[in-house]
Amino acid sequence: MSETPAEARSLNFLEEIVEADLKSGKCESIHTRFPPEPNGYLHIGHAKSICLNFGLALKYAGKTNLRFDDTNPVKEETEYVDSILEDVRWLGFQPAHIFYASDYFEKLFELAVRLIKKGLAYVDDSSSEEIALQKGSPTEAGVENEYRSRSVDENLRLFQEMRDGRYADGQKVLRAKLDMSSPNMHLRDPILYRIKHAHHHRTGDSWCIYPMYDFAHGQSDSIEHITHSICTLEFVPHRPLYNWLIEKLEIFPSRQYEFARLNLTYTVMSKRKLLQLVNEQFVSGWDDPRMPTISGLRRRGYTAESIRHFTERIGVQKRDNLIDVSLLEFCIRENLNKTALRKMVVFDPLKLVISNYPDTVEMLSSEDYPEGAEINSSRELPFSRELYIEREDFMEEPPKKFFRLSPGKRVRLKSAYIIQCEEAIKDASGKITELRCTYLPESKSGADSSGLKVQGTLHWVSAPHAINIELRLYDRLFKVENPGSEDGDFKEYINPDSLQVLTHAVAEPSLRNAKFNQGYQFIRKAYFCLDKDSSEEKIIFNRTVSLKDAWAKEVKKG
Ligand code: ATP
Ligand code: MG
C-alpha cells in the first residue's frame, strides 16, 4: 500500500463542503476547532479528530483553535489539560489560539439572560426525576409543567438567584422553552444550566451554575467565529438545537458537521473505560504502551508521522465502523522500516564459542539501515571468540527446512563470518549450555572468498561486550475484536498475556547510547524504542510492533 498524493485523492465529504462554502463566498476562510473535554488523556480517536480539524485548516489556509470544553467542574483536572496540550503539539499541530469554554462563563450567562428576555427560557423547579417523567418518550409527547409559564421577570430574578448561590444542587435548572412534543427528544425543553456547588479547575468557586454541553458548545463556537464545527455522529440529533440557539440568540452562525468516530479492533476507546483501566491498575497508567492513548502510543514507539498517515488512510466516514488495528500497525512498521536503526539483540542467549578464532577482538562494520534506504550509514561492532546467539536458532535434530544452526551445519553470522557447528555441550539435565563452532576466516562479510553458499544468517552479540537490557513485549490488551460490544464487563476480555518481560536479553554495546525518539529494529525480531523508565543501570526497551506484516498479506490476499 503506498501513499496517494493529495492531489490525486478524491475529496472527502468535509473537503467538498468546505470547497463549496469557499467558492460560494459563504465564508471567506475557514476556522475549525478541536474541543476536548479535559477529563482524560487523548486517544487515537481524538487524533483522528485533531488531524481532521487541523488538516482541513492547513489545506484551505484557515485556522484551528484548541478549546478546552471545561464546563463540568467535577471531572476535570489540570493534569489532563497539560497532557492534551502536549499531545496536540507532538502530533505536529499549532493551534491558532488556545481557549477554555470556562473563559466564556460570563458571556454565556449573558446569552442565557438574552434568551430569557425573549421568552425562550425558563427556570424549572422540578426534580430531575420529574423532568425525566414529563419528557415523555419517543412515541409519546411530553407534558408542559406549571413553571413553563413563569414571567420573564420572575425567570430573570430566579436565574440571578441561582447564580448567587441561593439554591442547592438540583433545586432548579434553566431550560429552553422549545417544544415538549417534538419528535426529537433533544428539543423537549432541554436543560441549559444546572446548579453545581463545585470547585472548577480554572474559575475556582466563582460559579455555582454551569452551562450544559448543548448551551456551551455551539455558543463557544459562535464566540470564536468557528465556521465548520466538526463533531462525531452522536451529535446529529443535537444539531437542530445547535441551530435554534444560534438563530434565536442572533449570534455568529457556526455550522455543525458530523463524521463517524474512529473505533479500533482489540481496544476500547471511551475515556470512561480507559480511566477504569488506569484506576483499577489493569495498566500502569494513561501512558502504558498498551493503551490506545496518544501518550501510550508515543511511549510504545509510534511516531507522530505514522499516526497522521493512519488517520489519513482511514479517511472520513459518515457511518460508524471498526478499523482493523493491524492497519495502524502497518503504518508504524512502514515508517520505522525507513527510519529505525538496525541493531543486534539476543533475546534468549545461548553461548557459542569459536574454537579456531584467535583470542582477540575484531571490529566489524554493519549497516544501520536496510539496503536501498535513503540514509546509508554503518557502525562498528566488536566480534570475538565468545558470542551469544538466540537459543531458538539452534536445533540438535532439525526438521527439513531448518536453515539455522545444527550439528555439522553452516550459517553466516550477520556482518561477520560463516561458522560451522561442531558440538553442543550439555549439562547434567541434558540442557544445551554452549555450542562449539569453527569459523572460516576467508568468509568475512564484504570480502568473502570462500565460495560457500549458506542459507541462514543469524544475529549475534559478542559475549564480553554484551550489555544487559530488559525487553517489554506488548501484545493486544484485549482478547476479542470488539470488547465494548461483548456481554458483561469489557474488562473480562482483557488479554492476560498482554505484557511479557524479558530480563536476560543481551545487546550489542552501541545500545548503551540509545536515544529517545529514535526507533530501533532488533534485526530478525521486532521494532523497539527506549522506555522512559530506562536508566544507566537498567536499560529498558518497549516492543513497538513485530516485523511481520499481517495487514499487507491480508491486502494482497483480498
Ligand atoms: P470519549 O467518548 O472517548 O470519552 P469524548 O467524545 O467524550 O470521547 P471529547 O473530549 O468530548 O471526548 O472529544 C473531543 C473531540 O474529539 C470531539 O469533537 C469528539 O467528537 C472527538 N472524538 C472523540 N472520540 C473520537 C473518536 N473515537 N473518533 C473521532 N473523533 C473523536
Ligand atoms: Mg465528550
Side-chain angles (χ1 to χ4, degrees), residues 34-37 43 45-46 49 230 232 259 261-262 269-271:
F34 172 65
E37 196 183 331
H43 52 58
H46 293 113
S49 175
I230 299 163
T232 38
F259 72 103
R261 59 173 52 230
L262 163 65
M269 207 81 100
S270 107
K271 279 184 280 189

Side-chain angles (χ1 to χ4, degrees), residues 551-558:
W551 172 265
K553 275 187 210 131
E554 279 304 305
V555 170
K556 262 190 214 139
K557 261 201 298 184

Side-chain angles (χ1 to χ4, degrees), residues 49-50 173 204 328 534:
S49 175
I50 292 169
V173 289
L328 179 64
S534 206

